[in-house]
Amino acid sequence: MAKVPEAYYQFVMDCAPYVYVVPGAGPDMEWGRAAFAAAFAVDFLFEAYFDPQFDDRSSEIEAKIVELADWMLTQQCTDSGKQAFGGFKSAEGSTAYYSVDACRTIPALLKAYELTSNTTYMNSAALAAGTFLYNMQHKPSILGVHDRYHGGFARAATLADAWLGQMDVECLYGLIALKMLCESDPANKDKYESMIADAVDFYRQGLEGAYVYFDPLPSGDGKWHRTDVACSTVFDDCLAYALLGVYDNEGWSPTVQKAYQLLNAIGASPLYAAYNPAVCWAGYLNVAAKAPACDYYDCVTAGILARLRRDHDKPAYQFSAETVSSHAEAFMFWGAKHADYAPVENKQAMATVCWLGQLLLGYEAPVTRFTQVLNSKGEDLTLYPVVEVGERAAYGAGVALKAIVLPAKAEETLLEPGYIPSDYLTLHVFTPLRRRDKIRRNGVDYEVTSVQEFTFKGEPAFRKASCRRLIGQ
């Protein structure tokens, strides 16, 4: 499988720190430039700097990292009389400083510091965490109040000193930043560790319940919320960022397992038959109904979830990386339709390209005992994913599939009218197949009728799929 497409690298080099770019027209000036876009670009370029694929471009990569890091500094509030002191603008033209933007920006500044030894980047990161995020977690010192603010981070402060008190679960991504600072700024390690402990203790309930934010009293209702009035739907990327932050801090803990399995178990529905969570997650997920709530993937989550999947959900990791690599241009857009990967909107997204670039940079095909057997003994088939159900199903483009193919056992097969025993097959596969997908073997088509997942040490190992020959196709 190819590494990072040249188009990804050139997009970052040419367009960062713009948030969105319209192909053929240039940056989307409505969104403009943002610190988080610069930060994610630095994250990608830092990995590229050390990758053999870009050995001959290390000088230009370092120069771009310096350019982006210097620009991020211009987005930081340096007025010590403001509640936003130490924070970063949500966008270049904004007067709001969100906690999550500091959480996203600090790791990039620390990587720029590691690469260049420029202490200005280190000092900026320490200010963003030790002052801004600390104040957002304890109420701003400008008010003379230092009491612990539940443990979560208030959403934002503005230059007019307005205080947005809701606490977003997405800020758990900031655990990565605080953990890095424990190493880079050991003099304040105790402070950072205390902030980590408070955040995890507070947000754990929200993450495990798949909530997006908490609205504290007295201005709010003192309850956890999702994105809609019915409290059923969530933004997938917010929870993916939160998951990665907690995973970085405590590994494959019960909290991480519970949250990941809850969201990843949301599969295709009659309305959105093409959805496969192994690719990445839908832009909206209806947690209450356990169904996708839109017809498109939030492409960035393929990258955000990559490390967790590499370690604990290898079939999804492989399927996601292979899908992105095979449709690299389509996945440059922030949203891609489940059925055909067509863009939701004609905007390529900097965050998406940077996260997917990191996925492809670090990707190596998983090697397990099952994949070794599969590669040695498996049969080459073609998978046609179902994209629409009804009286006559519709299927997407075919992709290669390896499987151990066995005839179905007579004692496990209930023959249906018009079928004979040889019309049934059993497949053992690594690929995350779904019910009603189509499999072609030696020119004969079969429909997947059921899928059973087998685990090893609590993690997906392979799937057993029962198939029945398609008649009248």
Side-chain angles (χ1 to χ4, degrees), residues 372-394:
Q372 290 174 327
V373 172
L374 191 62
N375 291 332
S376 173
K377 306 293 185 182
E379 188 175 328
D380 291 322
L381 310 176
T382 305
L383 163 66
Y384 296 89
V386 65
V387 297
E388 186 178 340
V389 296
E391 290 187 13
R392 192 177 183 87

Short mmCIF file of all heavy atoms in Angstrom, two decimals, residues 372-394:
data_model
loop_
_atom_site.label_atom_id
_atom_site.label_comp_id
_atom_site.label_asym_id
_atom_site.label_seq_id
_atom_site.Cartn_x
_atom_site.Cartn_y
_atom_site.Cartn_z
N GLN A 372 -1.47 -14.45 9.20
CA GLN A 372 -0.43 -15.31 8.64
C GLN A 372 -1.04 -16.53 7.95
O GLN A 372 -0.64 -16.90 6.84
CB GLN A 372 0.54 -15.74 9.74
CG GLN A 372 1.41 -14.60 10.25
CD GLN A 372 2.26 -15.01 11.45
OE1 GLN A 372 1.84 -15.83 12.28
NE2 GLN A 372 3.45 -14.44 11.56
N VAL A 373 -2.02 -17.14 8.59
CA VAL A 373 -2.72 -18.28 7.98
C VAL A 373 -3.49 -17.81 6.75
O VAL A 373 -3.48 -18.47 5.70
CB VAL A 373 -3.68 -18.94 9.00
CG1 VAL A 373 -4.54 -19.99 8.31
CG2 VAL A 373 -2.89 -19.55 10.15
N LEU A 374 -4.14 -16.67 6.87
CA LEU A 374 -4.94 -16.14 5.76
C LEU A 374 -4.07 -15.86 4.53
O LEU A 374 -4.43 -16.21 3.40
CB LEU A 374 -5.64 -14.86 6.22
CG LEU A 374 -6.72 -14.27 5.31
CD1 LEU A 374 -7.87 -15.25 5.15
CD2 LEU A 374 -7.21 -12.95 5.89
N ASN A 375 -2.92 -15.26 4.75
CA ASN A 375 -2.03 -14.94 3.64
C ASN A 375 -1.46 -16.19 2.99
O ASN A 375 -1.14 -16.21 1.80
CB ASN A 375 -0.91 -14.02 4.10
CG ASN A 375 -1.41 -12.63 4.45
OD1 ASN A 375 -2.40 -12.17 3.91
ND2 ASN A 375 -0.73 -11.97 5.37
N SER A 376 -1.32 -17.25 3.79
CA SER A 376 -0.75 -18.50 3.29
C SER A 376 -1.80 -19.38 2.61
O SER A 376 -1.56 -19.96 1.55
CB SER A 376 -0.08 -19.26 4.43
OG SER A 376 0.34 -20.53 4.02
N LYS A 377 -2.96 -19.48 3.23
CA LYS A 377 -3.98 -20.44 2.79
C LYS A 377 -5.24 -19.78 2.22
O LYS A 377 -6.12 -20.48 1.70
CB LYS A 377 -4.40 -21.33 3.96
CG LYS A 377 -3.24 -22.04 4.67
CD LYS A 377 -2.57 -23.06 3.78
CE LYS A 377 -1.49 -23.82 4.56
NZ LYS A 377 -0.79 -24.81 3.69
N GLY A 378 -5.35 -18.48 2.32
CA GLY A 378 -6.58 -17.81 1.93
C GLY A 378 -6.82 -17.80 0.43
O GLY A 378 -5.90 -17.89 -0.38
N GLU A 379 -8.07 -17.63 0.09
CA GLU A 379 -8.51 -17.59 -1.30
C GLU A 379 -8.85 -16.14 -1.66
O GLU A 379 -9.39 -15.39 -0.84
CB GLU A 379 -9.75 -18.48 -1.45
CG GLU A 379 -10.22 -18.70 -2.87
CD GLU A 379 -11.37 -19.68 -2.94
OE1 GLU A 379 -11.42 -20.61 -2.11
OE2 GLU A 379 -12.23 -19.51 -3.82
N ASP A 380 -8.52 -15.75 -2.88
CA ASP A 380 -8.80 -14.38 -3.32
C ASP A 380 -10.24 -14.28 -3.83
O ASP A 380 -10.62 -14.96 -4.80
CB ASP A 380 -7.83 -13.98 -4.43
CG ASP A 380 -6.41 -13.82 -3.92
OD1 ASP A 380 -6.24 -13.32 -2.80
OD2 ASP A 380 -5.47 -14.21 -4.64
N LEU A 381 -11.01 -13.42 -3.19
CA LEU A 381 -12.39 -13.17 -3.55
C LEU A 381 -12.57 -11.68 -3.83
O LEU A 381 -11.63 -10.90 -3.70
CB LEU A 381 -13.34 -13.60 -2.43
CG LEU A 381 -13.16 -15.00 -1.84
CD1 LEU A 381 -14.11 -15.20 -0.67
CD2 LEU A 381 -13.37 -16.06 -2.90
N THR A 382 -13.78 -11.28 -4.18
CA THR A 382 -14.09 -9.86 -4.36
C THR A 382 -15.28 -9.50 -3.48
O THR A 382 -16.31 -10.20 -3.48
CB THR A 382 -14.42 -9.53 -5.82
OG1 THR A 382 -13.35 -9.96 -6.66
CG2 THR A 382 -14.61 -8.03 -6.01
N LEU A 383 -15.13 -8.43 -2.74
CA LEU A 383 -16.19 -7.93 -1.87
C LEU A 383 -16.87 -6.74 -2.54
O LEU A 383 -16.21 -5.81 -3.01
CB LEU A 383 -15.60 -7.48 -0.53
CG LEU A 383 -16.45 -6.57 0.35
CD1 LEU A 383 -17.71 -7.29 0.84
CD2 LEU A 383 -15.65 -6.04 1.53
N TYR A 384 -18.19 -6.78 -2.57
CA TYR A 384 -19.00 -5.65 -3.07
C TYR A 384 -19.87 -5.18 -1.90
O TYR A 384 -20.88 -5.82 -1.56
CB TYR A 384 -19.88 -6.07 -4.24
CG TYR A 384 -19.09 -6.49 -5.46
CD1 TYR A 384 -18.69 -7.81 -5.64
CD2 TYR A 384 -18.73 -5.55 -6.44
CE1 TYR A 384 -17.96 -8.20 -6.75
CE2 TYR A 384 -18.01 -5.93 -7.56
CZ TYR A 384 -17.62 -7.26 -7.71
OH TYR A 384 -16.89 -7.64 -8.81
N PRO A 385 -19.50 -4.08 -1.25
CA PRO A 385 -20.26 -3.63 -0.08
C PRO A 385 -21.66 -3.17 -0.45
O PRO A 385 -21.84 -2.46 -1.46
CB PRO A 385 -19.42 -2.48 0.48
CG PRO A 385 -18.61 -2.01 -0.68
CD PRO A 385 -18.35 -3.21 -1.54
N VAL A 386 -22.63 -3.57 0.32
CA VAL A 386 -23.99 -3.14 0.07
C VAL A 386 -24.10 -1.65 0.37
O VAL A 386 -23.56 -1.16 1.37
CB VAL A 386 -25.01 -3.95 0.91
CG1 VAL A 386 -24.84 -3.71 2.40
CG2 VAL A 386 -26.43 -3.66 0.46
N VAL A 387 -24.77 -0.91 -0.50
CA VAL A 387 -24.94 0.53 -0.30
C VAL A 387 -26.41 0.92 -0.21
O VAL A 387 -26.74 2.03 0.19
CB VAL A 387 -24.24 1.35 -1.40
CG1 VAL A 387 -22.74 1.12 -1.36
CG2 VAL A 387 -24.80 1.03 -2.78
N GLU A 388 -27.29 0.01 -0.62
CA GLU A 388 -28.73 0.30 -0.55
C GLU A 388 -29.48 -1.01 -0.45
O GLU A 388 -29.19 -1.97 -1.16
CB GLU A 388 -29.17 1.06 -1.80
CG GLU A 388 -30.61 1.54 -1.77
CD GLU A 388 -30.98 2.34 -3.01
OE1 GLU A 388 -30.05 2.83 -3.69
OE2 GLU A 388 -32.18 2.45 -3.29
N VAL A 389 -30.43 -1.05 0.47
CA VAL A 389 -31.22 -2.27 0.64
C VAL A 389 -32.63 -2.03 0.13
O VAL A 389 -33.06 -0.91 -0.05
CB VAL A 389 -31.26 -2.71 2.12
CG1 VAL A 389 -29.86 -3.07 2.60
CG2 VAL A 389 -31.87 -1.63 3.00
N GLY A 390 -33.33 -3.10 -0.13
CA GLY A 390 -34.68 -3.03 -0.66
C GLY A 390 -34.99 -4.35 -1.33
O GLY A 390 -34.35 -5.37 -1.07
N GLU A 391 -35.97 -4.33 -2.21
CA GLU A 391 -36.29 -5.56 -2.93
C GLU A 391 -35.09 -6.04 -3.74
O GLU A 391 -34.87 -7.24 -3.91
CB GLU A 391 -37.49 -5.33 -3.85
CG GLU A 391 -38.80 -5.15 -3.10
CD GLU A 391 -39.98 -5.09 -4.04
OE1 GLU A 391 -39.81 -5.44 -5.24
OE2 GLU A 391 -41.07 -4.71 -3.59
N ARG A 392 -34.33 -5.11 -4.26
CA ARG A 392 -33.13 -5.44 -5.00
C ARG A 392 -32.00 -4.56 -4.46
O ARG A 392 -32.01 -3.35 -4.64
CB ARG A 392 -33.34 -5.21 -6.49
CG ARG A 392 -32.23 -5.80 -7.36
CD ARG A 392 -32.56 -5.58 -8.84
NE ARG A 392 -31.55 -6.20 -9.70
CZ ARG A 392 -31.60 -7.47 -10.09
NH1 ARG A 392 -32.59 -8.25 -9.69
NH2 ARG A 392 -30.67 -7.97 -10.89
N ALA A 393 -31.02 -5.17 -3.80
CA ALA A 393 -29.94 -4.41 -3.17
C ALA A 393 -29.02 -3.81 -4.23
O ALA A 393 -28.89 -4.32 -5.35
CB ALA A 393 -29.15 -5.31 -2.24
N ALA A 394 -28.38 -2.70 -3.86
CA ALA A 394 -27.36 -2.08 -4.71
C ALA A 394 -26.02 -2.19 -4.00
O ALA A 394 -25.95 -2.17 -2.77
CB ALA A 394 -27.71 -0.62 -4.98
#
